Amino acid sequence: KKMFFPTDGSKPSQAIIACGHFGNWEVAGPAYAIKSGIPLMSVMRPFDNKRVGEYILARRAGHAHSVCDKQGGVRVLLRALKTGSSISILPDQHAGTKDGGVIAQFFGHPARTHTTPAQLHLHTGIPILPLLCRRVNDKFQFEFIITDPIIYKPTGDKAADILAITQKVNDSLESIIRQYPEQWLWAHRRWLDLDRTTHLHD
């Protein structure tokens, strides 16, 4: 999208990137920071194994790409946006009730979904950019697949607005995943109405 990757010498636009566990999401952060020319901060969940976490984190950051813990991350993300950075969130996995998720549709099924992109968009007005990093071949070549940015006009009903924006995010990511379903990491518990122990035998 030209507003995020301008070729006329104009300044790139900030974005609240809604990414996903698709293709190679580890490549997406540093690559987007390099391509856009502006810093990027991504949200991450701490690793259960500390040593594995240290190993991976040492390779995630760099090239104007930084990471922050999801616990208390909203304030950190707001500070990043206020200083001109873009931010990246992966909202395609289950959001527990303590994470403040809302129930939105995903592939025709109810899924508790993270609302951080919607909340930050309403607070800042910065566009949400649905983006997935597709593996093109086995030669370490990837491409960004980007849908139209989400720019939402608030209605005054904050709860309804958050749900509407979150649904738009789900719909945008779904539209890309439908094209390349084999590249999406889908084995986690995503839907509320499906019993995995039952459907594994269907």
Side-chain angles (χ1 to χ4, degrees):
K1 303 298 179 180
K2 291 183 179 179
M3 64 186 293
F4 301 101
F5 303 120
T7 57
D8 58 1
S10 59
K11 185 178 179 180
S13 297
Q14 268 184 293
I16 298 168
I17 300 170
C19 195
H21 296 82
F22 178 98
N24 191 328
W25 58 91
E26 298 288 353
V27 168
Y32 186 89
I34 293 170
K35 180 69 175 176
S36 68
I38 59 176
L40 175 70
M41 175 176 284
S42 298
V43 179
M44 58 151 287
R45 183 183 72 82
F47 288 86
D48 296 330
N49 186 308
K50 184 178 179 180
R51 289 190 176 182
V52 171
E54 290 173 349
Y55 177 84
I56 294 177
L57 286 179
R59 287 152 180 79
R60 275 183 173 171
H63 302 294
H65 177 237
S66 59
V67 296
C68 71
D69 192 319
K70 76 170 188 175
Q71 300 299 331
V74 173
R75 292 182 180 179
V76 178
L77 294 174
L78 276 173
R79 286 199 297 269
L81 291 172
K82 289 180 179 179
T83 58
S85 293
S86 291
I87 63 168
S88 175
I89 302 168
L90 282 71
D92 64 329
Q93 291 193 347
H94 177 75
T97 53
K98 67 179 182 179
D99 295 320
V102 297
I103 297 177
Q105 294 293 306
F106 194 54
F107 285 94
H109 294 273
R112 189 171 291 281
T113 307
H114 293 279
T115 62
T116 306
Q119 294 187 57
L120 291 174
H121 176 61
L122 288 173
H123 188 79
T124 65
I126 295 172
I128 297 174
L129 185 64
L131 175 153
L132 294 178
C133 184
R134 186 178 82 90
R135 183 179 64 255
V136 176
N137 53 40
D138 293 330
K139 298 179 180 179
F140 209 72
Q141 293 181 325
F142 305 89
E143 68 176 1
F144 288 141
I145 302 179
I146 304 172
T147 69
D148 290 334
I150 297 170
I151 302 174
Y152 184 87
K153 184 177 180 180
T155 66
D157 185 336
K158 186 176 180 180
D161 289 344
I162 287 174
L163 178 57
I165 297 169
T166 301
Q167 187 62 62
K168 287 178 180 291
V169 171
N170 276 2
D171 291 345
S172 295
L173 295 180
E174 178 183 326
S175 71
I176 302 174
I177 294 169
R178 282 184 179 276
Q179 299 176 58
Y180 310 98
E182 75 283 357
Q183 296 205 28
W184 184 50
L185 180 64
W186 60 271
H188 49 82
R189 179 179 181 267
R190 185 68 185 98
W191 295 281
L192 300 174
D193 62 338
L194 297 181
D195 181 350
R196 289 188 302 173
T197 60
T198 299
H199 286 267
L200 282 174
H201 302 288
D202 287 350

